[in-house]
């Protein structure tokens, strides 16, 4: 199953085409809408004020509630655009954005409004695609869930079981500890009041994957497949599996995961520093990773940049509607990317 996103932030719509969707899936659109609502902006002061209904309109691949095996195409309309916000600064490359490399790559013909195809707006159809993937995985007893692990140095409680992630999905601010969540909110609002932004990280787990999926080789390596999907999400700048960078602080006796035979005869590990993968192949433990997201590059502070048309130094002060932090809205997006990656890993 492969997906292709289309559309721009301020175009008429964004959407996705999913090819290779198995026929006969009874698609639960309410579950997909729920994930889209988790990602949606405009709910509170922690997000951009842009409001979108994010109602998916399915153009093909679904008939009488079931997938047909044909390409599944869904479109989500853009209804709350203010393109004029970007006219004044269209030639000024926004620091931290893809404006300059996109200008070089596409010869200046890219849609600059709201970041065009590089915008986080494209994560809405990605969540739709991931919603389909989640339902295919659920047929095999596989669950994908995530929570905010840190925002600007404030850390959530450690993840201990997948059931706690189901509860997180129902929260407006998906953390395990609401007390830590309140501290994170304060950090976001403080940055917003100072016309700035903050970054953070999301921990995600894929539970129920069988042992033996993947390969040590390039192209089928489990960590490589997941990384490819995760780095396609805007703002993701680092991905770590299991203990991740903490391996640098460990000895082998601490990092190794001792094995044992469970009561049902299955082989398990006493801990999961490896994050469910050894040698590029799943080992039957939960596949766990943490993705780090950069602070939102659109901030109200004055910044130095260049005028791409005049090719001279310039200064930039942005107006418009922007997220002071994207991490809380990105939780269902990372789940979607992980679900799509898991489908590729399993050959769905």
């Amino acid at each position: 199953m492969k997906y292709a996103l289309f559309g721009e932030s301020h175009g008429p719509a964004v959407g996705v085409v999913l090819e290779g969707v198995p026929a006969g899936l009874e698609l639960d659109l309410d579950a997909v809408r729920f994930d889209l609502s988790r990602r949606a902006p405009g709910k509170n002061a922690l997000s951009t004020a842009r409001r979108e209904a994010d109602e998916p309109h399915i153009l093909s691949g679904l008939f009488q509630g079931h997938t047909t095996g044909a390409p599944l195409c869904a479109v989500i309309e853009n209804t709350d655009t203010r393109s004029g916000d970007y006219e004044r600064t269209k030639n000024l490359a926004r620091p931290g954005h893809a404006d300059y490399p996109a200008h070089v790559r596409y010869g200046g013909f890219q849609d600059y409004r709201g970041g065009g195809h590089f915008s986080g707006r494209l994560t809405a159809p990605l969540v739709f695609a991931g919603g389909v993937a989640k339902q295919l995985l659920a047929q095999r007893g596989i669950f994908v869930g995530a929570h905010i692990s840190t925002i600007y140095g404030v850390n959530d409680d450690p993840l201990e079981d997948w059931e706690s992630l189901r509860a997180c999905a129902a929260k407006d601010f998906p953390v395990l500890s609401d007390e830590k969540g309140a501290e994170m909110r304060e950090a976001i609002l403080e940055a917003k009041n100072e016309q700035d932004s903050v970054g953070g990280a999301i921990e995600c787990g894929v539970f129920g994957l069988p042992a033996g999926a993947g390969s040590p080789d390039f192209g089928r390596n489990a960590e490589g497949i997941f990384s490819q999907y995760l780095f396609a999400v805007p703002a993701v700048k680092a991905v770590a599996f299991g203990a991740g960078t903490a391996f640098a602080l460990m000895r082998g006796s601490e990092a190794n995961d001792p094995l044992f035979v469970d009561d049902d005869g299955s082989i398990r590990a006493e801990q999961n520093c490896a994050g469910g993968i050894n040698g590029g192949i799943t080992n039957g433990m939960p596949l766990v990773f943490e993705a780090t997201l950069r602070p939102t590059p659109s901030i109200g502070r004055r910044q130095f940049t260049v005028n791409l048309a005049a090719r001279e130094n310039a200064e930039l002060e942005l107006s418009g509607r922007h997220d002071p932090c994207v991490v809380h809205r990105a939780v269902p997006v990372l789940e979607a990317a992980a679900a799509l990656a898991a489908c590729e890993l399993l050959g769905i």
Side-chain angles (χ1 to χ4, degrees):
M1 192 169 66
K2 299 289 185 181
Y3 76 92
L5 302 177
F6 61 86
E8 289 87 23
S9 176
H10 285 236
V14 292
V16 63
V17 177
L18 267 168
E19 293 186 345
V21 181
L25 173 67
E26 186 176 0
L27 189 60
D28 184 349
L29 282 174
D30 285 338
V32 175
R33 291 187 184 101
F34 174 69
D35 276 351
L36 285 167
S37 71
R38 295 168 62 203
R39 190 216 70 92
K43 293 181 179 179
N44 51 51
L46 302 176
S47 305
T48 171
R50 179 174 177 174
R51 291 180 177 272
E52 297 285 359
D54 283 354
E55 174 64 26
H57 302 283
I58 298 179
L59 305 185
S60 66
L62 191 71
F63 182 64
Q64 295 182 340
H66 292 79
T67 55
T68 65
L72 179 62
C73 179
V75 169
I76 299 172
E77 295 180 351
N78 293 328
T79 59
D80 187 21
T81 58
R82 290 192 343 203
S83 302
D85 290 344
Y86 298 92
E87 185 63 29
R88 179 181 60 85
T89 59
K90 66 180 182 180
N91 293 320
L92 301 178
R94 295 169 299 169
H97 279 281
D99 295 351
Y100 171 62
H103 177 83
V104 175
R105 175 68 176 82
Y106 300 111
F109 290 101
Q110 78 282 356
D111 186 343
Y112 58 82
R113 300 169 303 170
H117 190 68
F118 297 91
S119 170
R121 179 69 184 141
L122 274 294
T123 60
L126 176 60
V127 168
F128 175 91
V132 176
K134 283 183 178 182
Q135 293 180 39
L136 290 169
L137 292 171
Q139 292 180 336
R140 301 191 179 200
I142 298 170
F143 168 72
V144 181
H147 72 110
I148 301 169
S149 53
T150 183
I151 286 181
Y152 198 54
V154 180
N155 299 320
D156 193 15
D157 288 348
L159 174 62
E160 295 182 354
D161 62 87
W162 63 270
E163 281 293 344
S164 61
L165 294 180
R166 290 192 186 276
C168 271
K171 298 181 179 181
D172 289 336
F173 201 80
V175 288
L176 301 173
S177 166
D178 292 333
E179 181 180 350
K180 294 294 186 180
E183 293 181 36
M184 294 178 188
R185 290 172 187 261
E186 289 179 8
I188 295 172
L189 293 176
E190 182 179 353
K192 180 180 180 179
N193 290 336
E194 296 175 1
Q195 295 186 303
D196 215 331
S197 63
V198 293
I202 293 169
E203 185 181 30
C204 182
V206 184
F207 301 84
L209 283 174
S215 167
D217 304 321
F218 176 82
R220 295 301 306 159
N221 181 288
E223 287 152 322
I225 290 173
F226 271 79
S227 295
Q228 184 174 7
Y229 280 83
L230 296 169
F231 279 118
V233 176
V236 171
K237 300 300 289 183
V239 174
F241 293 88
T245 57
F247 277 122
L249 306 175
M250 294 180 177
R251 290 186 173 187
S253 55
E254 299 170 304
N256 292 343
D257 301 326
L259 301 174
F260 68 96
V261 179
D262 208 345
D263 293 339
D264 62 2
S266 58
I267 295 177
R268 309 291 291 170
E270 293 182 1
Q271 58 184 22
N272 193 22
C273 287
I277 304 172
N278 293 112
I281 302 172
T282 56
N283 61 21
M285 294 293 286
L287 193 157
V288 180
F289 65 85
E290 185 177 61
T292 301
L293 289 82
R294 60 158 297 141
T296 316
S298 291
I299 58 176
R301 292 189 173 195
R302 180 176 298 182
Q303 301 177 82
F304 294 108
T305 185
V306 295
N307 185 309
L308 295 172
R311 299 193 69 83
E312 62 184 20
N313 295 325
E315 292 184 359
L316 172 67
E317 288 188 66
L318 290 174
S319 57
R321 302 168 296 178
H322 308 290
D323 289 275
C325 180
V326 298
V327 178
H328 54 291
R329 292 179 55 207
V331 169
V333 180
L334 269 294
E335 291 177 3
L340 289 161
C343 282
E344 178 169 335
L345 179 67
L346 297 176
I348 298 176

